[in-house]
């Protein structure tokens, strides 16, 4: 499959890259692992096959949050806040004119799909994460975590 066209929407002052693939009866917003480029992901055969599979039964909404891939970069030494990432999720849904969507996140981005987040306050939004751990930071009760 050839990469779909990339479009841009605003989230605050940031331009957010997004794509829509397929025309199925349900919307899926895929929140990809955070080292991702919306255009280049189509060049990796396994990932492209996964995305194509999702687009066969859905309208698949893909995006890069600010600071990643084809979206606006972040200033040096600054990462997006959780609130900014959630704003980017909502901006992608709004750009796709999606009133109901399943939000699917994987790996490190699975946290962005947690049910306690703002993206699930929208009626009809179901969040699911896969290949995501419960936490990553080290603590006395979580010695396998990463040091702060």
């Amino acid at each position: 499959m050839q990469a779909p066209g990339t479009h841009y929407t605003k989230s605050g002052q940031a331009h957010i890259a997004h794509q829509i693939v397929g025309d199925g009866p349900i919307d899926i917003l895929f929140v990809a692992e955070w080292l991702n480029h919306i255009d280049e992901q189509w060049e990796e055969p396994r990932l492209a096959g996964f995305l194509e599979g999702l687009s066969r039964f859905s309208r698949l909404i893909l995006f890069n949050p600010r600071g990643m891939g084809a979206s606006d970069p972040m200033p040096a030494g600054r990462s997006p806040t959780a609130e900014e990432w959630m704003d980017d999720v909502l901006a992608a849904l709004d750009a796709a004119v999606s009133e109901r969507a399943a939000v699917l996140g994987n790996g490190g981005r699975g946290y962005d799909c947690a049910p306690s987040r703002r993206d699930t306050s929208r009626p009809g939004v179901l969040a699911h994460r896969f290949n995501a751990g419960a936490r990553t930071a080290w603590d006395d009760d979580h010695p396998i975590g990463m040091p702060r």
Side-chain angles (χ1 to χ4, degrees), residues 30 38 46 60-61 73 77 108 126 145:
F30 182 59
I38 197 166
R46 291 170 294 185
L60 180 61
I61 304 162
L126 169 68

Side-chain angles (χ1 to χ4, degrees), residues 110-130:
Y111 299 110
D112 296 340
C113 298
S116 62
R117 301 285 190 172
R118 290 185 291 145
D119 61 328
T120 59
S121 63
R122 186 179 285 211
V125 173
L126 169 68
H128 179 72
R129 54 190 175 163
F130 66 97

Side-chain angles (χ1 to χ4, degrees), residues 15-88:
H15 292 91
I16 304 302
H18 64 93
Q19 299 172 343
I20 299 172
V21 187
D23 60 2
I26 63 169
D27 289 351
I28 295 176
L29 176 74
F30 182 59
V31 184
E33 182 68 66
W34 53 303
L35 295 176
N36 170 290
H37 191 289
I38 197 166
D39 295 319
E40 293 178 8
Q41 67 188 356
W42 294 98
E43 295 176 19
E44 202 292 307
R46 291 170 294 185
L47 178 55
F50 173 71
L51 298 174
E52 288 173 16
L54 290 174
S55 72
R56 285 189 195 114
F57 65 89
S58 73
R59 190 170 73 117
L60 180 61
I61 304 162
L62 305 166
F63 78 108
N64 280 144
R66 67 189 77 198
M68 191 177 310
S71 291
D72 280 350
M74 292 296 296
R78 178 164 145 18
S79 295
T81 64
E83 289 77 19
E84 288 170 327
W85 270 342
M86 287 302 96
D87 289 343
D88 297 349

Side-chain angles (χ1 to χ4, degrees), residues 132-147:
R135 69 188 280 183
T136 58
W138 179 92
D139 207 336
D140 289 337
D141 65 344
H142 191 68
I144 63 169
M146 293 186 286

